[in-house]
Amino acid sequence: MKVLVIGGGGREHALAWKLKQSEGVEQVFVAPGNAGTARDAQLTNLAITDKVALREWVQANGIGLTVVGPEAPLAAGVVDEFRVHGLPIFGPTQKAAQLESSKAFSKAFMQRHGIPTAEYQTFTDAVQAHAYVDAKGAPIVIKADGLAAGKGVVVAMSLAEAHEAIDFMLLDNKLGVAHNEGGARVVIEEFLEGEEASFIVLCDGVNALALATSQDHKRLLDADQGPNTGGMGAYSPAPVVTPAVHQRAMDEVILPTLRGMAADCIPYTGFLYAGLMITPDGRIKTLEFNCRMGDPETQPIMMRLRSNFAQVLLAATRAELDRVTLDWDPRVALGVVLAAAGYPMNPRKGDAITGLPADEADRMVFHAGTADANGQVVVSGGRVLCVTALADSVADAQKKAYGVVDGIRFDGMQCRRDIGYRAL
């Protein structure tokens, strides 16, 4: 079977890397891919991003399964385009992807179906948004209502920060984010305290199958300081997701979401990522939904997965996830993101990358924001690489990953030195 992975980031590199290991898979294509997928002799980059052109290419080349990595093609309706033509594709439809592409849709859905989440209000008018923040006080959370590549959330610890975020998102709209009906809109939420975890499942419209637990680090700097990013590192498993929390996540968030989407006549298929806030007493609230696997959580999760991933995803396209079990490496996987100079707001491109090691079974460098410039791997995006390692403990996985990190160089390279500290 031939497989296509749509996307070009670290998540897609990790998905393609795992899919190529599946028995029965003869070739994996990545559209458009990056310098890391280009360096792998078992992966083939494909310079196509348009959904119709992709569908035509899949038809012409006998692709047996397509897997969608990032959110943008989902929001653009690539799954709908493939399904109209009877092509197996794993991901949610354009309407279902509103769980991520519209924060307002997602919050209203959760409220309507009794899924635990933070109190909120939605605004398009900056004056009203400012008044609401003044009434509620800080800390408070401001979210751009639309796709913002992981940078559309400001956790404002002061009123000044909150007002600045409102102006940035509504008046300036420098992120260029528009909600589904057009224009700029923000969701303003109460601030929740606790520990965050990423709870990711596979969905086939009826059934949900949980992946290994994981936890990422959103802030740019050590000790969770600095601005929010798309994620500076992650590890799996996440001790904060105890068996009791796992059961609550399934019973209170995941299964009600599947039932609610079906009741709203928008059956949900694909990866579903619930960002959870876990309180000290074990209660959970849903911070957000993503309609894809997380990045960088995908990298450690794929390092631990032992099952035939292609067959698992094919079963999901046939609504047969209730017949599937997953086999996991019991070891810890930990990934450290190396980011470009100026990330997250103004990442610099073009810096040459040196010191990239050969791939090994227990240590991988997954590429994200990389490109090939005349044979030299260079920076092409904000999050550049994710160095991921498997070991018997968090401390050993840290040591192994940072040992690789220390050999890689590019000008202005940023990385945290404490990934996994919460699990130590």
Side-chain angles (χ1 to χ4, degrees):
M1 180 175 65
K2 298 176 184 176
V3 176
L4 171 66
V5 175
I6 296 176
R11 165 183 49 236
E12 290 75 44
H13 188 181
L15 292 173
W17 173 81
K18 181 52 61 175
L19 284 162
K20 77 177 185 181
Q21 299 170 23
S22 299
E23 185 178 351
V25 171
E26 58 184 283
Q27 198 166 9
V28 178
F29 298 88
V30 192
N34 56 43
T37 52
R39 281 162 50 108
D40 190 324
Q42 294 175 276
L43 304 176
T44 304
N45 284 359
L46 182 67
I48 305 175
T49 55
D50 176 76
K51 66 183 179 183
V52 175
L54 281 168
R55 184 262 300 166
E56 291 173 344
W57 184 88
V58 162
Q59 289 176 309
N61 288 275
I63 302 301
L65 171 67
T66 299
V67 182
V68 189
E71 62 273 26
L74 295 171
V78 68
V79 171
D80 309 67
E81 174 68 29
F82 276 53
R83 285 193 181 164
V84 163
H85 295 272
L87 299 170
I89 184 167
F90 187 66
T93 62
Q94 187 175 38
K95 282 188 175 179
Q98 289 180 98
L99 277 177
E100 177 172 8
S101 67
S102 172
K103 295 287 191 293
F105 174 93
S106 177
K107 295 293 287 189
F109 172 85
M110 285 189 270
Q111 190 174 62
R112 189 164 65 250
H113 291 286
I115 296 164
T117 190
E119 177 187 293
Y120 80 103
Q121 288 290 332
T122 301
F123 299 92
T124 55
D125 182 277
V127 173
Q128 293 177 1
H130 285 305
Y132 181 79
V133 163
D134 283 333
K136 290 293 183 180
I140 198 163
V141 181
I142 318 295
K143 296 182 177 181
D145 181 30
L147 299 179
K151 296 186 282 288
V153 177
V154 173
V155 180
M157 302 309 292
S158 68
L159 285 176
E161 275 186 276
H163 291 308
E164 181 182 6
I166 289 167
D167 287 342
F168 182 79
M169 294 180 191
L170 280 183
L171 299 182
D172 304 330
N173 195 17
K174 288 183 179 175
L175 291 171
V177 172
H179 64 82
N180 290 347
E181 288 78 46
R185 181 163 65 185
V186 296
V187 172
I188 303 180
E189 294 184 356
E190 69 171 312
F191 174 78
L192 299 176
E193 292 196 71
E195 194 167 347
E196 288 188 44
S198 308
F199 197 86
I200 307 172
V201 301
L202 310 177
C203 301
D204 65 9
V206 178
N207 307 293
L209 181 64
L211 296 176
T213 61
S214 60
Q215 188 168 28
D216 76 336
H217 299 257
K218 292 291 188 194
R219 299 281 189 168
L220 181 67
L221 306 175
D222 286 9
D224 295 323
Q225 301 297 306
N228 262 343
T229 71
M232 293 300 293
Y235 56 94
S236 173
V240 69
V241 184
T242 63
V245 168
H246 192 286
Q247 193 62 51
R248 294 192 80 158
M250 291 296 292
D251 293 344
E252 298 176 19
V253 178
I254 300 300
L255 295 177
T257 297
L258 276 182
R259 290 193 293 265
M261 292 294 278
D264 291 349
C265 300
I266 316 173
Y268 191 91
T269 58
F271 300 109
L272 181 63
Y273 170 124
L276 303 178
M277 181 65 80
I278 303 167
T279 63
D281 61 359
R283 290 180 298 114
I284 59 173
K285 286 196 176 182
T286 311
L287 295 170
E288 63 176 352
F289 285 121
N290 291 328
C291 295
R292 49 179 167 91
M293 287 196 71
D295 188 343
E297 296 96 331
T298 304
Q299 291 88 318
I301 289 173
M302 289 296 104
M303 288 284 282
R304 294 187 61 218
L305 182 63
R306 288 174 166 171
S307 302
N308 185 316
F309 195 38
Q311 291 304 315
V312 170
L313 297 185
L314 270 177
T317 67
R318 299 167 181 156
E320 296 174 353
L321 277 179
D322 55 333
R323 305 179 189 180
V324 174
T325 56
L326 297 175
D327 182 27
W328 298 101
D329 192 312
R331 291 176 293 173
V332 173
L334 182 143
V336 179
V337 168
L338 309 185
Y343 182 77
M345 295 311 296
N346 297 293
R348 187 175 72 206
K349 299 180 181 180
D351 290 311
I353 304 169
T354 59
L356 292 169
D359 298 343
E360 296 184 36
D362 62 350
R363 61 187 88 186
M364 274 290 300
V365 179
F366 293 109
H367 289 233
T370 65
D372 185 281
N374 300 316
Q376 172 69 61
V377 179
V378 300
V379 173
S380 67
R383 288 182 297 164
V384 181
L385 303 165
C386 183
V387 177
T388 311
L390 269 173
D392 290 330
S393 67
V394 174
D396 287 345
Q398 268 187 337
K399 184 177 179 180
K400 190 178 290 186
Y402 281 110
V404 177
V405 166
D406 290 340
I408 298 173
R409 295 280 184 274
F410 57 87
D411 286 346
M413 185 176 91
Q414 302 184 78
C415 77
R416 286 181 55 161
R417 304 296 305 188
D418 65 346
I419 300 302
Y421 79 91
R422 288 181 178 274
L424 288 171

